[in-house]
Amino acid sequence: MLMLQLANAPFLLLQTGRVLVLRNVSSSDSGIYVCFATVPLTTTVKTTPIPTLPSTTMTKAATTSSQQQQPIEEDAQQQHEQKLQEERELEQKQVNEEKQKYEAIQRIRLTVRTTPGPVTQLYFKASTILGFLIWRFNKTLSGGYPVRSFTAEYRNVSYHVQPTNASYEHEWTRMDPINIAPNVRQMEVYRLAPNTTYEFRIWANNEMGSGEVVTTNVTTLPETKEEDLIRLLKPDLDNFDPRIWIVAVSIVLGTLVILAIGLCIVLSKECYQSTQMGTANSPTAITITEYKS
């Protein structure tokens, strides 16, 4: 097994045989990964041997002396040997030189799937005994799998209500339905107590499991008493004009009278038409009387 930690990568590479395993990955590591292989290439150079210089012979012994011919032959031989040595070194260097070429063998798209992310814009619109839990969810935070459902819970966190368990915390109550549809963005909550603080929490679920939990606190409105209700209605009662009430009642009664008259006319017309049709369709009796003379 080969274990490798890249300098600029947060994940860990584990290689077992021909399998490469990535550990500690996150959704930001998704993308296209390319597998490269190195192929050694040997470069050879064709060399052409340089012919050796022919030996110098003594053709004109009378014109040249032996003392002048000896240094010329030695210099030529040294230059020739030096060139041969350089050619051998260059040939050996080029033959033994290896170059590595990188080739892309396979491209793989890596998709990292995680649990869903948190919901956003969570708030509770409360009244006295009921309210609406409203939230938003970004589909790009689904974790790679579609969101199956949402789960929401609430509990009473008011200090004037003593917890029932030994942990001094109120128990969570699961909202109905237990599995909220993924396209729903608000839920109604009933049977709340007036002027009481509640804590709500919600999370998304997908194939990988439950996502990040988001919570919010809210206090319901106090219950309205009779004195408060009278105090709210008193300004309207003081500014109320009875003539407006009389006009409104007259309009309503007049409308009812017109409707009653119209109904009577329609009924009487239908009765008259049915009577005329019955008379026209009834058989006529003919009586023949014979007189004797």
Side-chain angles (χ1 to χ4, degrees):
M1 177 181 293
L2 175 62
M3 183 179 298
L4 179 62
Q5 177 70 51
L6 300 181
N8 297 327
F11 51 82
L12 187 66
L13 297 178
L14 300 177
Q15 183 178 0
T16 304
R18 299 176 64 87
V19 179
L20 186 64
V21 182
L22 280 69
R23 299 288 181 86
N24 301 330
V25 295
S26 61
S27 57
S28 60
D29 298 323
S30 300
I32 299 176
Y33 287 76
V34 183
C35 178
F36 289 93
T38 57
V39 180
L41 298 177
T42 304
T43 304
T44 59
V45 177
K46 183 177 180 180
T47 60
T48 303
I50 300 175
T52 58
L53 295 175
S55 59
T56 306
T57 57
M58 300 291 296
T59 58
K60 296 181 180 181
T63 57
T64 59
S65 62
S66 60
Q67 294 181 355
Q68 292 177 350
Q69 291 177 356
Q70 184 175 0
I72 295 175
E73 292 179 357
E74 292 179 355
D75 294 341
Q77 188 69 22
Q78 290 178 359
Q79 293 178 359
H80 177 65
E81 292 179 355
Q82 185 176 359
K83 289 183 179 180
L84 290 178
Q85 185 66 23
E86 292 178 357
E87 292 290 340
R88 294 193 192 97
E89 293 179 356
L90 180 60
E91 181 181 358
Q92 187 69 23
K93 182 178 179 181
Q94 292 178 349
V95 169
N96 296 332
E97 183 180 2
E98 291 183 356
K99 295 182 180 180
Q100 291 182 346
K101 179 182 179 182
Y102 293 91
E103 294 183 356
I105 302 301
Q106 188 175 8
R107 295 176 181 269
I108 300 175
R109 178 178 293 277
L110 176 65
T111 302
V112 180
R113 305 184 188 275
T114 61
T115 56
V119 301
T120 58
Q121 302 180 16
L122 177 65
Y123 67 96
F124 189 80
K125 187 177 180 181
S127 62
T128 54
I129 59 175
L130 58 88
F132 293 90
L133 183 65
I134 304 173
W135 69 92
R136 296 291 181 269
F137 184 76
N138 190 353
K139 293 183 178 180
T140 58
L141 301 178
S142 60
Y145 289 106
V147 175
R148 290 182 172 180
S149 63
F150 292 96
T151 305
E153 296 178 340
Y154 69 96
R155 65 177 178 177
N156 190 335
V157 293
S158 297
Y159 295 101
H160 58 81
V161 179
Q162 186 67 22
T164 57
N165 51 15
S167 61
Y168 297 99
E169 291 184 356
H170 295 280
E171 295 182 356
W172 290 96
T173 302
R174 185 68 59 88
M175 295 177 59
D176 189 31
I178 297 177
N179 296 321
I180 305 172
N183 59 341
V184 175
R185 294 296 180 266
Q186 68 176 16
M187 287 291 297
E188 292 181 295
V189 186
Y190 302 97
R191 300 177 183 178
L192 301 178
N195 197 21
T196 306
T197 303
Y198 290 90
E199 182 180 6
F200 293 86
R201 67 181 183 182
I202 187 173
W203 63 89
N205 305 296
N206 65 0
E207 188 175 344
M208 295 291 294
S210 302
E212 185 177 347
V213 180
V214 180
T215 61
T216 183
N217 290 11
V218 67
T219 302
T220 56
L221 300 177
E223 187 177 4
T224 304
K225 300 180 180 180
E226 294 182 1
E227 295 81 2
D228 299 334
L229 185 60
I230 294 174
R231 186 174 63 254
L232 293 174
L233 296 177
K234 188 176 180 180
D236 296 334
L237 293 175
D238 294 340
N239 298 328
F240 181 72
D241 190 356
R243 291 175 295 182
I244 299 176
W245 174 257
I246 295 172
V247 172
V249 172
S250 301
I251 293 173
V252 173
L253 292 177
T255 304
L256 293 177
V257 170
I258 294 173
L259 291 176
I261 295 173
L263 182 60
C264 292
I265 294 172
V266 172
L267 292 176
S268 61
K269 187 176 180 180
E270 289 183 356
C271 292
Y272 177 76
Q273 291 178 355
S274 61
T275 304
Q276 293 295 329
M277 291 177 63
T279 304
N281 296 330
S282 62
T284 304
I286 302 175
T287 304
I288 301 175
T289 305
E290 294 181 359
Y291 296 94
K292 293 181 181 182
S293 57

